[in-house]
Amino acid sequence: MPTSALFELSRRKPTAVGTGLIALDAVMNGDDDPPRLWVGGTCGNVLTILSYVGWKSFPLSRLNGDRAAKHVVRDFERWGVRLDFARSNPVVDTPIVVQYIRKTGAGLPYHRFSWSCPNCGRWFPNYKPILLRGAEAIIAEIKDPNVFFFDRASPAALAVARACAEKGAVVVFEPSGVGNKTFFRQALRVAHILKYSNERLGNLAETVGSARVPLEIETLGGDGLRYRSCMSSCDTRGWRRLEAYGANPFKDAAGAGDWCTAGIIHRLAQRGMSAFRGTVESRLVEALKFGQALAAWSCKFEGARAGMYSVSRAVMRAEVEGIMRGTPRPVALRRKLDVGRAETFKKICEGCDQGDPR
């Protein structure tokens, strides 16, 4: 298939529904630039990227209208994400994640995350899942989903996953940890695609084996990924490996896995479970490599989705196609901002006005 065709939609506006970590990211580099404030969290990133490439995306969350939530809503709206189910009751404060981008002594970039305000020291709110009673009200309103995505197993997430599967959706589970073992095992039973990072869950493969998830993907950072499938149309009978694409220049790997996930969903799940169950290995490999190319492209920018704010969709597509062809193009530099760091955090941190560091 020509690389340009990988972005095409086989149906108009497929639908993705998702729940999990939706946060406000505050991305800070080692320079004097102010933080850049964007929707973050695995679920927030995946749904926003899918909307960016042409899907209808519906996050299920509990946004309450606090300062951070207003930034999240504004960013979601910028990229066309649907907010019909984003304010499930009872509403809660919005998580905020500060990403610091640093360099090693050898000049190599790396990142770390913090959940406290660097301006006043206040701890930011923790993630809280939607509740089962809220999910039950939403389930009846979800029409013809093609994909349900979740990154944390909870009673509500599992209920929506089962309901969407019954409606023909491909269920994608991307955990960052095991958490509640009972819920985690139930998530494995309902998932059609399981994707996880070796860095975080490198010992998960043995646990998953007995669950027989149709498609399992383990990412290996700069070493690429490995996958195994037990689908009748694509039984790999064990693990297969794909090498990663390089990113030059390399700026930041945060969010690369979310781009990879969105690319895989985009290629494999546009027509829901009816088409997914017939996936052959050549199409599977094509989807995985597309996801890897998106991930490599995202590493050329600072922040999980910074590329979306730096170049047009047309430029992004041309650059990703170039990565897949082995002829990568240079990326555009982002525009500098004018607002200082302290002023920026005062806009999102409830503690900065209260003078109550904790």
Side-chain angles (χ1 to χ4, degrees):
M1 175 182 291
T3 54
S4 59
L6 293 172
F7 285 96
E8 293 178 359
L9 294 169
S10 58
R11 56 168 293 170
R12 186 176 180 273
K13 290 282 185 183
T15 297
V17 179
T19 195
L21 181 58
I22 295 172
L24 180 66
D25 276 358
V27 182
M28 300 170 62
N29 61 23
D31 302 323
D32 294 327
D33 293 347
R36 284 149 286 162
L37 304 178
W38 302 316
V39 170
T42 300
C43 182
N45 284 331
V46 170
L47 291 180
T48 305
I49 295 164
L50 286 173
S51 182
Y52 177 66
V53 296
W55 289 57
K56 289 187 293 185
S57 292
F58 293 88
L60 314 185
S61 62
R62 300 166 64 182
L63 297 176
N64 72 351
D66 63 2
R67 297 180 183 186
K70 290 176 181 177
H71 284 275
V72 168
V73 166
R74 189 179 305 122
D75 201 27
F76 270 152
E77 290 177 337
R78 173 175 181 170
W79 302 111
V81 175
R82 312 296 180 93
L83 301 177
D84 306 49
F85 313 121
R87 300 175 178 90
S88 177
N89 287 316
V91 294
V92 296
D93 291 340
T94 306
I96 300 173
V97 181
V98 183
Q99 179 193 346
Y100 295 92
I101 301 174
R102 299 286 187 260
K103 290 186 178 180
T104 66
L108 299 176
Y110 71 96
H111 62 262
R112 68 177 182 86
F113 298 105
S114 171
W115 286 262
S116 65
C117 178
N119 193 48
C120 72
R122 182 186 180 98
W123 287 101
F124 291 130
N126 293 323
Y127 165 76
K128 294 182 180 179
I130 60 171
L131 300 186
L132 190 55
R133 65 178 182 270
E136 291 170 344
I138 291 170
I139 286 170
E141 301 297 322
I142 297 174
K143 307 297 183 186
D144 302 320
N146 300 101
V147 163
F148 176 71
F149 175 89
F150 66 122
D151 57 35
R152 281 159 172 75
S154 68
L158 291 166
V160 182
R162 295 185 187 106
C164 287
E166 290 175 0
K167 295 179 181 183
V170 176
V171 176
V172 182
F173 181 38
E174 184 163 358
S176 59
V178 172
N180 183 295
K181 292 182 179 179
T182 299
F183 297 156
F184 190 83
R185 286 192 291 268
Q186 293 177 18
L188 294 182
R189 287 196 288 270
V190 73
H192 303 119
I193 300 176
L194 171 69
K195 179 176 174 287
Y196 56 92
S197 164
N198 175 269
E199 182 180 5
R200 291 185 176 181
L201 292 168
N203 59 350
L204 190 61
E206 292 183 8
T207 303
V208 176
S210 59
R212 290 186 63 79
V213 178
L215 175 60
E216 181 182 351
I217 304 163
E218 180 180 10
T219 58
L220 308 171
D223 293 325
L225 60 78
R226 63 176 187 163
Y227 66 95
R228 60 181 174 184
S229 165
C230 60
M231 292 186 286
S232 58
S233 59
C234 180
D235 191 340
T236 62
R237 304 185 186 280
W239 290 102
R240 306 269 175 99
R241 181 82 173 266
L242 288 178
E243 297 298 322
Y245 290 106
N248 187 20
F250 175 83
K251 293 293 186 66
D252 180 24
D258 304 334
W259 282 90
C260 185
T261 299
I264 293 167
I265 290 173
H266 180 71
R267 291 308 307 162
L268 293 183
Q270 290 182 26
R271 293 187 175 275
M273 192 61 195
S274 60
F276 174 74
R277 66 167 58 97
T279 300
V280 297
E281 191 167 8
S282 60
R283 181 170 176 79
L284 171 57
V285 170
E286 171 193 273
L288 294 173
K289 292 182 75 65
F290 179 62
Q292 288 181 298
L294 287 172
W297 176 78
S298 75
C299 289
K300 298 182 179 185
F301 304 90
E302 293 180 344
R305 294 183 298 99
M308 293 169 57
Y309 306 85
S310 302
V311 301
S312 68
R313 285 179 175 86
V315 170
M316 180 275 293
R317 288 179 57 153
E319 291 176 353
V320 172
E321 291 164 14
I323 290 170
M324 297 190 73
R325 290 194 303 266
T327 57
R329 298 168 39 151
V331 298
L333 297 175
R334 64 176 177 83
R335 181 176 60 87
K336 295 278 186 179
L337 303 179
D338 298 325
V339 182
R341 286 186 174 180
E343 289 75 12
T344 299
F345 278 101
K346 287 178 181 178
K347 292 182 178 181
I348 62 173
C349 176
E350 305 290 341
C352 283
D353 279 347
Q354 298 172 14
D356 180 26
R358 310 184 201 175

